Amino acid sequence: MAILVVGGAGYIGSHAVSELRAKGQEVVVFDNLEQGNSQAIGDAPFFKGDLRKTADVRKVFQAHAIDAVLHCASRSLIGESMQMPERYYETNVSGTLNLLTAMQTAGVKNLVFCSSGAIYGEPERIPIEEDHPQSPISVYGHTKQCVEKMLEWFDTIYGLKSVVLRCFNAAGADPSGRIGELHAQETHLIPLAIDAAMGSRDYVPLFGTDYPTRDGSCVRDYVHVCDIADAHMRALDWLAAGKPSAVFNIGRGSGVSVREIVEAVEKISGKKIPFQAEPGRPGDPAILIARSQEAKQALGWKPKFTDITAIIETAFKWQTGAAKTWA
Ligand code: UDP
């Protein structure tokens, strides 16, 4: 029996596939390759399909014996979600509904869903606990909230068990340098800062300089993508052990500002990075820092990468190495 990794050619999905295969677990990657990279799949069994197409989703369950699903496929750009909301509801909400329906038809009962810290909106308390009120301020965050609600009902009505992992800012790359973050149109801070350090872009835009934070720029909880992949493994084990549906924050519990990220990349690269102050991005809260105590206690999860410099070093190795042969 295989684990179906939906979005397995994407950033988080490909690292989860790598972990699963390292454990000798059979996998099937489902991806439309719109945002994912074919190189990230390597020689893993691959089913090219689109979540928005019910026939594609149905077919993958007919073609393979699937034990459980890791759902890592989504549109995930906060800025874009505030310009093209329909795209986000279509892929993230409607696409996930197709997936849940196909799982129900196929009798597959276990799902790990990669959710987001964006579900909370502007936090009332830091660090954020799982029961913190949810008031997403971006369309992206709202799509994650919609799915989480659907999952609750699919459990109540059909007994579909899920573990929701509210991942904060995924960062870094597999330490081997073999896979990492790569988007055709890069918008994420760390890859952009590395590009600017390496001279392939002129500057990094600094979105917002007057947030109520220590240096005026946004503070985020950057957590290594391999630690996120590890949380997915533990969530699968949780479900395989017959435990109930659950929700966990996944973050390091430590905030880093945009300016601090740029400084860290400067140190690692030994290059000065020009930045340009720009208005804050709609949909961005000032601070997001997770409390991940529940994941630690229930799943035994603990981030191996505890230091932002070590995290960015893995991204730097990837971006100045193998990523160039993919682009
Ligand atoms: N950010 C920025 N300039 C950029 C890209 C991002 O200042 O060119 C900021 C963004 O406003 C946010 C943080 O960096 O506060 C992380 O953004 P990113 O897009 O990397 O991840 P997201 O939080 O959107 O998932």
Side-chain angles (χ1 to χ4, degrees):
M1 296 284 269
I3 305 294
L4 180 67
V5 185
V6 181
Y11 179 35
I12 294 178
S14 61
H15 287 80
V17 168
S18 173
E19 286 269 330
L20 285 167
R21 297 190 86 201
K23 288 168 57 167
Q25 171 64 54
E26 202 187 323
V27 301
V28 176
V29 170
F30 180 96
D31 205 296
N32 65 0
L33 297 182
E34 225 176 81
Q35 299 170 92
N37 297 288
S38 57
Q39 295 96 326
I41 302 167
D43 59 358
F46 175 50
F47 188 102
K48 186 164 189 240
D50 194 314
L51 261 190
R52 294 165 296 189
K53 296 184 182 150
T54 48
D56 285 4
V57 187
R58 209 179 310 124
K59 270 189 213 148
V60 74
F61 287 95
Q62 286 162 354
H64 299 275
I66 303 296
D67 197 27
V69 177
L70 288 190
H71 181 15
C72 307
S74 76
R75 292 204 161 265
S76 58
L77 305 180
I78 286 168
E80 186 189 61
S81 82
M82 301 302 280
Q83 290 161 350
M84 295 184 241
E86 62 288 346
R87 262 195 190 187
Y88 280 71
Y89 288 106
E90 194 185 15
T91 300
N92 298 4
V93 181
S94 181
T96 302
L97 179 59
N98 290 340
L99 176 64
L100 300 186
T101 308
M103 286 178 68
Q104 175 58 14
T105 306
V108 178
K109 292 289 185 194
N110 290 347
L111 172 82
V112 178
F113 175 58
C114 191
S115 186
S116 166
I119 202 166
Y120 297 109
E122 200 70 66
E124 292 167 13
R125 297 183 295 275
I126 293 285
I128 304 169
E129 297 179 3
E130 285 84 352
D131 62 0
H132 184 286
Q134 295 168 21
S135 330
I137 60 167
S138 66
V139 169
Y140 168 69
H142 184 234
T143 63
K144 294 290 184 182
Q145 188 185 32
C146 293
V147 171
E148 289 199 19
K149 211 65 212 167
M150 284 200 296
L151 290 175
E152 282 177 30
W153 286 117
F154 271 70
D155 186 1
T156 306
I157 298 166
Y158 294 129
L160 188 147
K161 299 294 167 206
S162 63
V163 171
V164 169
L165 300 173
R166 290 184 186 147
C167 300
F168 281 61
N169 282 60
D174 190 291
S176 69
R178 194 178 52 81
I179 50 173
E181 180 170 24
L182 187 68
H183 301 106
Q185 292 264 301
E186 194 50 76
T187 64
H188 290 104
L189 178 63
I190 294 175
L192 287 181
I194 295 174
D195 279 347
M198 301 322 290
S200 50
R201 77 170 41 241
D202 296 338
Y203 66 93
V204 175
L206 179 60
F207 294 147
T209 52
D210 56 359
Y211 286 101
T213 59
R214 52 184 173 263
D215 62 17
S217 67
C218 282
V219 168
R220 292 288 178 273
D221 185 338
Y222 295 89
V223 52
H224 198 278
V225 65
C226 291
D227 285 321
I228 292 180
D230 177 48
H232 282 72
M233 302 304 110
R234 291 168 187 272
L236 278 176
D237 291 344
W238 170 275
L239 291 172
K243 295 192 178 151
S245 294
V247 177
F248 300 110
N249 281 341
I250 299 296
R252 273 185 315 129
S254 160
V256 186
S257 75
V258 174
R259 287 180 191 273
E260 288 162 354
I261 290 285
V262 173
E263 282 162 18
V265 175
E266 284 183 335
K267 252 188 218 139
I268 291 164
S269 62
K271 301 272 166 52
K272 194 84 198 134
I273 301 175
F275 61 83
Q276 186 170 300
E278 295 194 5
R281 203 170 53 174
D284 263 345
I287 307 183
L288 288 175
I289 301 173
R291 183 176 186 272
S292 303
Q293 217 45 41
E294 294 295 325
K296 288 178 184 159
Q297 268 158 18
L299 302 179
W301 177 80
K302 196 166 164 237
K304 289 184 194 74
F305 288 84
T306 53
D307 169 56
I308 190 65
T309 305
I311 292 175
I312 298 175
E313 272 168 356
T314 62
F316 191 79
K317 176 175 176 183
W318 150 250
Q319 245 175 281
T320 54
K324 289 184 175 168
T325 66
W326 284 20

